Amino acid sequence: MIDFYYAPTPNGWKVAILLEELGLEYTTHLMQLGAGDQFKPEFLAIGPNAKMPAIVDRDTRTSVFESGAILWYLAEKTGRFLPDDPAQKLEVMQWMFWQVGNQGPMGGQLSHFVNYAPEGQSYGADRYRGEYERNLAVLERRLDGRDWIVGDYGIADMLAFPWVFIAKPLTSSLDDFPNVAAWRKRIKERSAVMRAIDLHKAKQNRGEQNAQNNKVLYNQSAAHLLDR
């Protein structure tokens, strides 16, 4: 049994997708991020970065935080969606580091400036749209002549998909990225993926909470963690 600490965001979807693909039994703990659930001591003991997702594997009494680490842990635990070949496994690791260090953060910053930042500031959105689309270009080149990022469908694809899935709401088009668009379609058609995307869909923040009305979720500083 997996305890899954989750909110319906692209980063939460990453883990939800793998849990659904694996068919593992899990309990979802829906986090109220706007209310500060991520700063509660009991969650910080699991996720010290005060960010979801995080899991607790009751079978092994293991807690794991950060989406990439969770996917790697579950793939290794189950022996699925991660190649056995050492060279391919290294490729998967590289593409996962690319996602958590580049594609995800750039998409997250773009989302902030498009959806949650005060209006009238174009520089942030323009900068991060450029970075987000640069990463789409990286993925476009990688998918040239390939169906999946590394070998067969696996955790590298699951990790990268959510931030491509929401390209249109982020004001970016996939017209210039046909390989990415076809890859996105292949993944979206998987029933496990759509179950994950639909998990607590009604609780998505669609701009109701933003940088001007929620100082818990936005404009964070060290004080949020150091209780100052």
Side-chain angles (χ1 to χ4, degrees), residues 83 87-88 91-92 94-95 138-153 156-157 177-184 186-187:
Q88 281 201 329
E91 281 193 87
V92 171
Q94 291 174 82
W95 282 101
V138 172
L139 190 54
E140 176 72 12
R141 287 166 53 86
R142 176 62 180 180
L143 291 169
D144 187 23
R146 302 171 185 267
D147 285 341
W148 311 110
I149 294 176
V150 180
D152 297 328
Y153 173 64
D157 303 286
F177 310 101
N179 295 328
V180 174
W183 169 85
R184 177 189 184 276
R186 283 191 292 275
I187 298 177

Side-chain angles (χ1 to χ4, degrees), residues 74-104:
L74 291 174
E76 286 211 316
K77 173 186 170 75
T78 60
R80 296 180 62 194
F81 299 112
L82 185 62
D84 294 326
D85 176 71
Q88 281 201 329
K89 198 170 185 178
L90 178 59
E91 281 193 87
V92 171
M93 180 181 289
Q94 291 174 82
W95 282 101
M96 291 181 74
F97 271 91
W98 164 78
Q99 197 288 320
V100 299
N102 291 273
Q103 186 219 24

Side-chain angles (χ1 to χ4, degrees), residues 60-89:
T60 60
R61 299 183 181 180
T62 301
S63 63
V64 189
F65 75 104
E66 293 294 324
S67 58
I70 296 168
L71 265 64
W72 191 272
Y73 170 81
L74 291 174
E76 286 211 316
K77 173 186 170 75
T78 60
R80 296 180 62 194
F81 299 112
L82 185 62
D84 294 326
D85 176 71
Q88 281 201 329
K89 198 170 185 178

